[in-house]
Amino acid sequence: IRLDSALGFAGAIISPYYDSLLVKVIAKARDHPAAAAKMLRTLKEFRIRGVKTNIPFLLNVLQHDQFLSGVVDTYFIDENPQLFKFYPTQNRAQKLLYYLAQVMVNGPQTPLATDLQPSDVVPSVPQLPFDRESDIENGDNSYGYYEEMRSMAPTPPTGWRDVLVKEGPEAFAKKVREHKGLLLMDTTFRDAHQSLLATRVRTYDLKRISPFVTQRFNNLYSLENWGGATFDVAMRFLHECPWERLEEMRKLIPNVPFQMLLRGANAVGYTNYPDNVVYKFCDMAVKSGMDIFRIFDSLNYLPNIVVGMDAVGKAGGVIEAAISYTGDVSDPSKTKYNLEYYVNLATELVKAGTHILSIKDMAGVLKPRAATMLVGALREKFPDIPIHVHTHDTACAGVASMLAAAQAGADVVDVAVDSMSGLTSQPSMGAVVAALEGTDLDTGISLSDVTDYSAYWEQTRNLYAPFECCKTLKSGNSDVYINQIPGGQYTNLQFQAFSLGLADQFEEVKKMYAEANQLLGDIPKVTPSSKVVGDMAQFMVQNKLTKEMVEDRAEELSFPVSVIEYFQGYLGVPPGGYPEPLRTKILKGQQGLDSRPGESLPPVDFDKLKADLVEKHGHDVKEQHVISAALYPKVTDDFLEFHDKYGPVDALDTKIFFVGPKVAQEMEVKIEKGKTLSIKTLACGDLNKNGEREVFFELNGQLRSVKIKDEEASKELHFHPKALKGVRGSVGAPMPGEVIDVKVKEGDKVEKGQPVLVLSAMKMEMVVTAPASGTVRSIAVEKKMKLEGDDLLMDIECD
């Protein structure tokens, strides 16, 4: 390979007037195909930033069969227009540098909930027999190292997923019922961190411990690792794809069933969706590695649950229909949610075809005596159906309740590893394992393995200190039996109170939660109904309203949208119906729904949705992204834009992801197998006249720098706005230059392709045309104005 270059050295300034030839490449080999192969590799390894080159075109030429045959003529390009179909390079390294620099200059790119800082300690992964002991002692705890070592591990021991894959859901449920000891579901990968750490645990840390789970916890009934709030938070705050999380963990843990939380007709969202969205979601979830679906409805509204059950059944998953528990069956004075209510609901779920029956105690209010009564009644009624009990440990009675449930006939209970248990999370795995050791209900799990597992999570939890609920919640709270706040909502409700300026009134918010619940009709409280209660409670505290004041003044108050939609019937019908006349007052004449909310929604056109996403984000749109967009349109758009701008930030270690690196810090980032980036931060420059700071790095031994706008400092400076990427009517300058003519004015109607403006750069004129038909809403430039590339020219309101 020979390179003949002129001024194209690293750091050179490329002006608009520069000679178009940066470098000439010559490849020599024994024959034409071999020379073409050398040239292909050479061009792929070029890294040229800041200017467009003809490399994408040349790559297409070098991979064309006709060119490789050597039989071409001067019509070759004319006859092959596909040579001009370019696919952008991933440019992952530069994008990651841009992210790191952005965090260094402007602070965290995901909001931190408190002022606590992530720990500096890299969590140690427990050693397995096939690990290289010397490397463990030398502190090699990188994910890349463990991925490499686990690839050399022996075949994973047989687990419950092997039964499921081999024999199917019905036989799996039967084997679970026949099992003699108590089975455990580990919630550490989902509900534990949703309850304690605002759902912020990243795939990076889940993957590091996954091989240990494969080898040491193969006899778990399931590992809860998906669904609930994880789907939304992964994209919105962690900037990672929830589908990729599921697929990557499936590769690392092939022998333990995965379990997720499905909100019935709400799927993993906070509202009702067209039925075809729920079916499509469940089908894709099973294909991506999900096994068991705990399906519930926030109001125990049976039609919503049945939709989810049918979708899971058609997808081939295990149906675990859930009763959302509220009230207290051990208190004879509480008659609304008594044993008869729950047994009748369970009867309907069994008739609908559930494989497993679940009791979902989302607030941790299932007392030990109530657990004995409820599980006992269900076991007597359904002797052949496995029973799975879920609770939270907010009052610190969770272990006692789970032991009582097991002794009454439950087959499975939920636990979290010790260092991620207690408080608003699940009961301690180690405590349940130790309590049943040597009994007929022995879990078969080693307490020493639990200890090793817990040690990893104790260190890992310190990385998420900014999201700790324990900053304010330091002990068990028995007031949960009064307010019934779900464990998974507690931290989110707290952070929401902080953001509304109610931090010093959180005790009042908790008390008002119970009042709001009574106002709404004493309903089961779990997402999304718990959000309705929480919104109402904070609304009442913020506006200094009592229960009586709300009832009296309902017609004149402006309620949160979630409250209005609840009374309109968008969540379904609550047990016992709506409280009147409050519903009529709040709706103020608006019509409520009389049937299942999703029934009347038109089906989503997935082909059109994909086409829209491709138009906005390019061709790198997967089928999973389309389903995500059907559930969370704006969140998915923001996620794809963030990923395109900053690259695979999920490959960064957790502390660097949250708070960025320090100057002179070195790090290794594995972006894929065989591709590891070596990065060192060198310096962060002073503010320039454009409000930017230049941040310098060493990337794989080469100097790199990126310029970042300092958001705080730039508040005092004026900058021309940029065109919005992906918005058709936002017209940007295609190149730097000077405006020499504006052919339209505000309010003009324009047709697609109509000339609207002329730019000039060094005697080269470029006519800018309308990207779509519509009306010119605003013009951001005038004649003789000098512009940079992508500067906003005008906004067109598209027809």
Side-chain angles (χ1 to χ4, degrees):
I1 295 294
R2 172 174 162 169
L3 302 180
D4 290 347
S5 60
L7 298 177
F9 56 88
I13 304 298
I14 310 298
S15 75
Y17 330 119
Y18 189 74
D19 186 331
S20 61
L21 181 65
L22 286 174
V23 62
K24 181 166 66 177
V25 189
I26 303 167
K28 182 179 179 181
R30 290 182 178 272
D31 54 37
H32 178 67
K38 276 189 178 183
M39 179 67 80
L40 183 67
R41 178 178 172 184
T42 303
L43 293 178
K44 282 184 176 180
E45 294 185 2
F46 264 95
R47 296 294 182 267
I48 301 172
R49 309 291 178 226
V51 292
K52 293 181 179 179
T53 74
N54 60 351
I55 287 178
F57 170 75
L58 296 175
L59 289 175
N60 286 344
V61 171
L62 288 163
Q63 295 175 89
H64 196 283
D65 290 339
Q66 188 179 345
F67 178 82
L68 292 175
S69 72
V71 184
V72 293
D73 54 31
T74 53
Y75 290 101
F76 172 64
I77 294 176
D78 294 332
E79 293 170 349
N80 292 281
Q82 70 273 22
L83 295 172
F84 292 93
K85 187 176 182 181
F86 305 144
Y87 296 95
T89 59
Q90 296 184 75
N91 202 9
R92 291 173 292 183
Q94 189 72 10
K95 290 177 180 179
L96 283 175
L97 293 185
Y98 190 65
Y99 176 80
L100 296 174
Q102 185 70 257
V103 178
M104 291 175 70
V105 173
N106 292 311
Q109 298 301 289
T110 188
L112 304 185
T114 70
D115 55 4
L116 296 174
Q117 290 296 302
S119 166
D120 289 321
V121 177
V122 178
S124 299
V125 179
Q127 186 178 351
L128 289 168
F130 48 83
D131 288 329
R132 295 183 303 214
E133 190 168 340
S134 60
D135 286 343
I136 298 292
E137 290 173 354
N138 291 332
D140 191 345
N141 279 311
S142 68
Y143 171 68
Y145 162 72
Y146 274 94
E147 184 181 46
E148 175 191 347
M149 291 309 296
R150 289 336 189 255
S151 67
M152 301 189 296
T155 302
T158 301
W160 279 96
R161 187 166 191 267
D162 297 286
V163 176
L164 175 58
V165 171
K166 184 179 178 181
E167 302 185 37
E170 290 82 5
F172 171 80
K174 185 178 180 182
K175 291 281 178 69
V176 167
R177 183 70 193 102
E178 291 170 352
H179 183 76
K180 298 303 179 187
L182 178 67
L183 292 168
L184 303 180
M185 179 177 93
D186 178 19
T187 67
T188 306
F189 280 42
R190 206 282 300 177
D191 202 13
H193 73 85
Q194 178 171 325
S195 302
L196 295 176
L197 303 172
T199 329
R200 292 306 196 270
V201 172
R202 302 170 65 234
T203 302
Y204 183 93
D205 296 307
L206 297 173
K207 282 167 34 176
R208 293 189 70 225
I209 194 62
S210 290
F212 182 80
V213 173
T214 300
Q215 296 294 330
R216 290 290 185 258
F217 290 90
N218 57 296
N219 50 353
L220 286 171
Y221 162 80
S222 65
L223 181 71
E224 190 193 34
N225 62 354
W226 216 56
T230 60
F231 196 92
D232 167 32
V233 170
M235 291 190 292
R236 189 191 299 265
F237 297 118
L238 302 181
H239 309 299
E240 58 185 48
C241 177
W243 299 99
E244 289 178 9
R245 171 183 290 194
L246 179 57
E247 290 169 347
E248 289 176 22
M249 281 195 287
R250 181 79 284 166
K251 293 173 189 172
L252 293 169
I253 310 177
N255 55 344
V256 179
F258 286 170
Q259 181 152 345
M260 73 164 288
L261 192 62
L262 186 77
R263 298 166 180 157
N266 302 140
V268 287
Y270 302 98
T271 184
N272 277 272
Y273 297 101
D275 289 353
N276 72 325
V277 172
V278 180
Y279 281 83
K280 186 92 168 175
F281 172 84
C282 292
D283 183 65
M284 182 57 70
V286 170
K287 288 176 181 174
S288 299
M290 187 47 59
D291 300 301
I292 304 170
F293 295 72
R294 176 178 285 159
I295 307 154
F296 74 98
D297 179 75
S298 66
L299 298 174
N300 283 333
Y301 183 55
L302 191 64
N304 278 352
I305 302 176
V306 170
V307 170
M309 292 175 67
D310 191 52
V312 170
K314 284 182 166 58
V318 177
I319 303 169
E320 186 181 293
I323 298 163
S324 294
Y325 179 81
T326 191
D328 183 3
V329 296
S330 65
D331 183 348
S333 69
K334 296 184 177 179
T335 57
K336 182 171 184 178
Y337 299 105
N338 55 21
L339 278 178
E340 182 183 5
Y341 168 80
Y342 289 116
V343 171
N344 288 343
L345 179 58
T347 300
E348 295 302 318
L349 298 177
V350 171
K351 283 181 185 176
T354 191
H355 298 125
I356 293 162
L357 194 58
S358 176
I359 299 168
K360 180 174 169 55
D361 173 27
M362 52 279 175
V365 297
L366 182 68
K367 300 172 183 175
R369 182 162 171 264
T372 299
M373 292 171 65
L374 180 56
V375 174
L378 294 176
R379 175 52 65 228
E380 183 180 353
K381 179 75 174 178
F382 310 107
D384 300 325
I385 299 288
I387 297 174
H388 184 172
V389 185
H390 166 86
T391 192
H392 289 257
D393 203 22
T394 312
C396 295
V399 172
S401 294
M402 293 305 93
L403 294 176
Q407 289 160 356
D411 301 278
V412 191
V413 300
D414 288 0
V415 294
V417 71
D418 302 2
S419 55
M420 291 288 287
S421 69
L423 301 179
T424 55
S425 177
Q426 278 65 54
S428 159
M429 178 188 290
V432 172
V433 167
L436 297 177
E437 215 165 28
T439 71
D440 291 341
L441 295 173
D442 195 314
T443 62
I445 290 174
S446 162
L447 195 56
S448 64
D449 287 338
V450 175
T451 302
D452 291 341
Y453 187 33
S454 182
Y456 170 81
W457 279 107
E458 184 173 4
Q459 294 177 325
T460 301
R461 185 170 175 175
N462 291 330
L463 292 172
Y464 297 90
F467 307 102
E468 273 284 2
C469 77
C470 297
K471 185 178 181 184
T472 53
L473 182 65
K474 298 185 182 299
S475 63
N477 268 346
S478 56
D479 65 359
V480 71
Y481 294 118
I482 300 170
N483 58 52
Q484 297 189 353
I485 298 174
Q489 184 187 22
Y490 197 99
T491 52
N492 289 324
L493 189 67
Q494 194 172 46
F495 294 143
Q496 189 181 5
F498 290 163
S499 67
L500 291 173
L502 303 176
D504 58 343
Q505 299 181 67
F506 188 62
E507 287 302 314
E508 183 64 22
V509 170
K510 290 199 293 183
K511 291 176 184 176
M512 202 57 72
Y513 192 96
E515 294 286 304
N517 175 50
Q518 293 303 316
L519 270 173
L520 296 167
D522 186 13
I523 59 176
K525 290 159 289 297
V526 59
T527 307
S529 64
S530 56
K531 183 182 185 304
V532 178
V533 181
D535 288 352
M536 178 68 113
Q538 304 212 67
F539 168 75
M540 292 169 70
V541 172
Q542 201 165 31
N543 292 280
K544 298 180 173 55
L545 297 169
T546 63
K547 179 171 175 283
E548 292 72 25
M549 291 168 71
V550 171
E551 289 173 329
D552 292 341
R553 298 171 50 195
E555 288 171 305
E556 64 188 63
L557 294 171
S558 297
F559 289 94
V561 172
S562 62
V563 174
I564 296 170
E565 290 182 346
Y566 161 73
F567 279 110
Q568 284 179 308
Y570 287 162
L571 300 188
V573 181
Y578 297 97
E580 288 288 4
L582 183 62
R583 185 194 191 198
T584 301
K585 289 181 178 180
I586 288 178
L587 290 184
K588 301 178 179 68
Q590 295 181 67
Q591 193 65 36
L593 294 176
D594 297 322
S595 59
R596 181 172 65 81
E599 216 165 33
S600 57
L601 295 174
V604 167
D605 184 338
F606 286 103
D607 291 335
K608 182 180 183 303
L609 181 56
K610 183 171 184 178
D612 292 343
L613 288 173
V614 168
E615 184 177 349
K616 284 184 189 175
H617 305 290
H619 290 278
D620 193 25
V621 171
K622 301 176 183 176
E623 189 176 353
Q624 291 97 324
H625 295 150
V626 180
I627 299 172
S628 298
L631 297 164
Y632 290 101
K634 186 178 185 308
V635 173
T636 303
D637 275 340
D638 291 346
F639 162 71
L640 291 172
E641 286 176 10
F642 188 98
H643 192 269
D644 181 60
K645 184 176 182 180
Y646 293 121
V649 296
D650 55 324
L652 298 170
D653 78 42
T654 294
K655 181 170 185 180
I656 288 174
F657 169 78
F658 282 131
V659 298
K662 298 174 182 176
V663 172
Q665 183 171 349
E666 298 182 28
M667 67 203 86
E668 287 198 346
V669 182
K670 182 169 183 178
I671 55 175
E672 67 177 66
K673 189 174 181 180
K675 288 192 178 181
T676 300
L677 306 176
S678 177
I679 301 173
K680 181 178 180 180
T681 55
L682 300 177
C684 184
D686 295 332
L687 193 71
N688 66 20
K689 64 180 182 181
N690 295 320
E692 299 171 326
R693 296 184 188 274
E694 190 167 11
V695 185
F696 297 87
F697 297 93
E698 187 180 280
L699 174 66
N700 296 337
Q702 299 293 317
L703 179 67
R704 289 278 186 92
S705 70
V706 292
K707 290 181 179 178
I708 300 293
K709 181 180 178 182
D710 188 319
E711 302 291 347
E712 193 63 33
S714 296
K715 289 178 180 177
E716 300 177 8
L717 302 174
H718 175 73
F719 298 100
H720 194 90
K722 296 289 184 181
L724 298 177
K725 184 178 179 182
V727 179
R728 291 175 64 202
S730 185
V731 185
M735 66 178 186
E738 181 179 327
V739 180
I740 62 171
D741 189 18
V742 180
K743 295 180 173 293
V744 293
K745 60 183 185 297
E746 291 182 8
D748 282 358
K749 294 283 291 182
V750 294
E751 298 297 325
K752 182 178 179 180
Q754 176 182 333
V756 293
L757 186 143
V758 182
L759 278 176
S760 173
M762 278 304 291
K763 299 182 181 178
M764 181 180 75
E765 292 187 0
M766 176 171 285
V767 177
V768 180
T769 60
S773 299
T775 305
V776 178
R777 187 167 51 190
S778 63
I779 297 175
V781 297
E782 56 188 30
K783 285 185 180 181
K784 297 187 178 180
M785 185 179 282
K786 289 181 169 52
L787 301 172
E788 298 294 324
D790 297 324
D791 278 357
L792 180 66
L793 301 176
M794 64 186 64
D795 278 315
I796 297 174
E797 190 171 337
C798 300
D799 290 341

